[in-house]
Amino acid sequence: MAAQIAPGQHLTLALSGGVDSVTLLHLLASLAPMAQFELAAIHVNHGLSENAEQWAAFCAILCQAKGIPLTIERVVVDRESPDGLEAAARRARHAAFAHASGDFIVLGHHRGDQAETLLFNLVRGTGLAGSAAMAPRQRRLLRPLLTVSRAEIEAYAREQGLDWVDDESNRDTGFSRNFLRHEILEPLHRRFPAAERNLAAATGRFSEAVTLLDDLARIDLADQLDFPLAVATLASLSEPRARNALRYLLARRGIGIPSESRLVEALRQLLAAGHDRHPRQHFGEWDIVRRRGKIDLEHVR
């Protein structure tokens, strides 16, 4: 973190009350005087568990004992979201983070989370960008524990005599990520002890490849680095390079790509449609549309 944080900056820790974030709170509180940063915390209460208020109270007591300012954000999660409850809770949580104060929001994701995210993205049909999983730094988000295992975190917490809460939903394999964690990664680790470490390390190599592809996209797009984009620009490229350029432009706008197959189909329709047709592809809150020789975005929510 030393390379990311300047003296006098303000860090806000996402504190769930679980062992990962409690351990990170302990570490940051110890480092703050030496590194000269200001530390606060935010607890997002999703209201999904009957224990949610107890977890919020635990975080309040913990921060009060350490003299760390805490903000408790109560969010409403769309239980009927077509993306599922996990994705809806994540959106609500990150919306709260977006409005939180501070130069950085610090998250307690660890190496197991990284390996889990890679597998989750791969089985959903992700492209190379999704294979990079979580970045140590992503805009205002910092994840300093990505190279640390859950076992190391728990060992440290016990050594320091820390208390934490356990979210009972983490054992429910009806949730996709829990299924991957308990039914896939844990047996895989028993057979291949280095599996988690190697999977997490692979995300770094995928991230490097994405950086190189971004460089290529900027070369191919020249001075057209945003929408609207001339259809002719993509049509002049090979299919892989045109797809890469479109991916790059969507990523710059913060638009998620559901799967690589969706991106392939979107590009096919945008380039193959006749002059009198106006194809439209839906990506989350945005539609990609073609009209009058241009490819543009329309916000639909």
Side-chain angles (χ1 to χ4, degrees), residues 15-17 42-47 51-64 70-74 165:
L15 181 65
S16 68
I42 180 173
H43 174 80
V44 180
N45 185 340
H46 301 85
N51 298 313
E53 293 301 327
Q54 296 178 34
W55 298 337
F58 170 84
C59 291
I61 293 170
L62 182 63
C63 287
Q64 184 177 25
L70 172 69
T71 299
I72 296 178
E73 288 284 347
R74 288 174 169 80
V165 299

Side-chain angles (χ1 to χ4, degrees), residues 13 16 26 33 42 67 78-79 83 112 126 128 148 165 172 194 223 232 255 261 290 293:
L13 170 69
S16 68
H26 177 83
I42 180 173
D78 180 7
R79 295 174 182 262
D83 299 328
T126 189
L128 194 59
V148 182
V165 299
D172 183 355
D223 58 348
I255 299 172
S261 62
R290 169 181 164 167

Side-chain angles (χ1 to χ4, degrees), residues 198-257:
N198 290 339
L199 286 169
T203 66
R205 295 190 285 274
F206 289 134
S207 180
E208 290 177 359
V210 171
T211 299
L212 295 175
L213 287 175
D214 286 348
D215 291 342
L216 179 62
R218 285 189 287 270
I219 293 171
D220 286 340
L221 291 165
D223 58 348
Q224 298 187 68
L225 295 179
D226 201 357
F227 296 99
L229 171 70
V231 173
T233 299
L234 293 186
S236 68
L237 302 171
S238 66
E239 194 278 342
R241 290 175 74 155
R243 179 161 30 95
N244 178 59
L246 183 58
R247 174 201 60 80
Y248 173 77
L249 291 177
L250 292 172
R252 276 174 56 93
R253 287 288 195 97
I255 299 172
I257 300 170

Side-chain angles (χ1 to χ4, degrees), residues 9-21:
Q9 288 190 310
H10 293 251
L11 275 61
T12 298
L13 170 69
L15 181 65
S16 68
V19 64
D20 308 325
S21 62

Side-chain angles (χ1 to χ4, degrees), residues 76-137:
V76 177
V77 178
D78 180 7
R79 295 174 182 262
E80 305 300 322
S81 170
D83 299 328
L85 191 61
E86 289 175 284
R90 182 182 182 279
R91 278 196 299 272
R93 184 164 59 252
H94 279 262
F97 295 160
H99 294 100
S101 61
D103 296 294
F104 293 102
I105 307 298
V106 190
L107 307 177
H109 293 129
H110 53 73
R111 192 174 72 196
D113 295 322
Q114 183 75 313
E116 177 188 304
T117 299
L118 171 59
L119 289 183
F120 183 68
N121 289 348
L122 287 174
V123 298
R124 292 172 67 223
T126 189
L128 194 59
S131 301
M134 296 181 288
R137 177 178 177 179

